[in-house]
């Protein structure tokens, strides 16, 4: 269940006065009222959200609670009461603290978010909710980074690392990209008072490769060819992620010419057997330290 921005629903900012909130509610209510939008399910949904937002923000006590907890709404007052005990417990046993993901009760007239934060009548937390009656809290999520080079990221392979003194073994699918994050459920910090473990989030860091530029599932590379091969044609070896291949260079190939090797790019994430393409750009390297005889031949070509 997601955090709901009641200010956004009413179209006001957080510094709005109670009078501003009242005016905004009346204006939106006239526009979205079911009597003016018969059979419009979308208007009905928005009208319900509007009433819910007004229920919270027009009540100074509820608004203060909403503003105070923000993204930590899932715990609210219970979060505050248990915070000290949780911190003490985790420092002694696991070296960390924090809460996320408590499970509160459900309601009928308001969203799950509203019920979790204000109870069924908007006057505090429901005493019968599963979170408050048991005092169980999900453990803190753990975030980690894993460095991979481009070639490792192109292969499905196992990886083992240590989190909270425990070894975690995962299989990294071929095709992961820089900045991608995966979630391992239950591999975070232990829960509090019998609650479930937190989750482990791993973010992949893939530095720039010296040989290949990755663009989505395609790869780009540059290959130098000498002037003679560019003019007369010939063969050139090109490195790919899985070895080298030989390419035929056409006669009179210009510097900057790009050719495509289909299926020689980067593996498509979680699509076995599919890969992008490799784009090879030729860079013609001019000869240096020419002999007088060679210069004379070029002069002949120039004047022919």
């Amino acid at each position: 269940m997601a955090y709901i921005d009641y200010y956004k629903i009413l179209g006001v900012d957080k510094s709005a006065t109670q009078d501003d909130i009242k005016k905004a509610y009346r204006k939106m209510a006239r526009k979205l009222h079911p009597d003016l939008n018969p059979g419009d399910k979308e208007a009905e949904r928005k009208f319900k959200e509007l009433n819910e937002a007004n229920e919270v923000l027009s009540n100074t006590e509820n608004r203060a609670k909403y503003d105070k907890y923000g993204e930590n709404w899932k715990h609210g007052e219970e979060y505050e009461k248990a915070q000290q005990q949780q911190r003490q417990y985790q420092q002694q046993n696991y070296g960390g603290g924090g809460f996320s993901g408590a499970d509160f009760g459900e309601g009928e007239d308001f969203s799950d978010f509203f019920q979790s934060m204000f109870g069924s009548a908007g006057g505090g937390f429901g005493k019968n909710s599963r979170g408050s009656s048991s005092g169980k809290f999900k453990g803190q999520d753990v975030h980690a980074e894993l460095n991979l080079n481009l070639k490792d990221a192109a292969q499905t392979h196992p990886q083992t690392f240590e989190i909270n003194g425990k070894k975690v073994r995962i299989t990294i699918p071929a095709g992961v990209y820089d900045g991608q994050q995966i979630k391992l459920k239950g591999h975070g910090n232990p829960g509090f008072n019998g609650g479930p473990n937190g989750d482990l989030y791993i973010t992949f860091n893939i530095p720039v490769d010296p040989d290949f530029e990755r663009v989505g599932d395609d790869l780009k590379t540059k290959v130098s060819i000498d002037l003679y091969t560019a003019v007369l044609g010939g063969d050139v070896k090109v490195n790919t992620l899985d070895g080298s291949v030989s390419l035929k260079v056409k006669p009179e190939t210009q510097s900057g010419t790009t050719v495509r090797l289909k299926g020689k790019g980067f593996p498509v994430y979680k699509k076995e057997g599919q890969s992008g393409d490799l784009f090879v750009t030729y860079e013609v390297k001019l000869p240096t330290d020419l002999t007088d005889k060679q210069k004379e031949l070029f002069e002949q070509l120039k004047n022919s």
Side-chain angles (χ1 to χ4, degrees), residues 84 109 111 178 193 207 256 265 280:
Q84 182 61 37
D109 298 327
S111 69
D178 182 48
N193 198 26
V280 181

Side-chain angles (χ1 to χ4, degrees), residues 84-214:
Q84 182 61 37
Q85 186 177 1
Q86 167 75 347
R87 187 185 297 113
Q88 208 170 40
Y89 173 82
Q90 289 197 338
Q91 283 176 346
Q92 292 174 354
N93 297 277
Y94 307 105
F99 306 98
S100 65
D103 185 15
F104 293 89
E106 299 178 350
E108 296 178 358
D109 298 327
F110 296 101
S111 69
D112 290 343
F113 169 74
F114 182 95
Q115 293 293 331
S116 297
M117 193 163 189
F118 302 104
S120 59
F125 287 81
K127 294 181 179 180
N128 293 326
S129 66
R130 294 187 295 274
S132 58
S133 62
S134 64
K136 295 180 180 180
F137 291 94
K138 180 183 177 183
Q140 184 182 29
D141 293 335
V142 174
H143 293 262
E145 294 185 351
L146 187 59
N147 295 319
L148 298 173
N149 61 45
L150 190 68
K151 291 183 179 178
D152 285 340
Q155 299 175 348
T156 298
H157 66 283
Q159 190 91 17
T160 302
F161 50 93
E162 193 169 295
I163 296 290
N164 290 336
K166 295 182 179 180
K167 286 189 175 181
V168 178
R169 186 178 185 275
I170 64 172
T171 298
I172 301 174
V176 294
Y177 53 84
D178 182 48
Q180 182 175 351
Q181 186 180 78
I182 62 172
K183 170 184 171 182
L184 300 181
K185 188 174 178 63
H187 284 278
N189 284 337
F192 172 67
N193 198 26
N197 290 348
D199 302 321
L200 171 62
Y201 292 87
I202 300 174
T203 301
F204 296 108
N205 290 328
I206 305 174
V208 174
D209 187 85
D211 300 318
F212 301 100
E213 177 189 355
R214 183 179 178 184

Side-chain angles (χ1 to χ4, degrees), residues 260-274:
R260 182 179 74 162
L261 301 184
K262 190 172 178 61
K264 288 294 184 179
F266 209 75
V268 179
Y269 182 67
K270 288 193 173 179
K271 291 187 178 180
E272 190 173 351
Q274 295 186 34

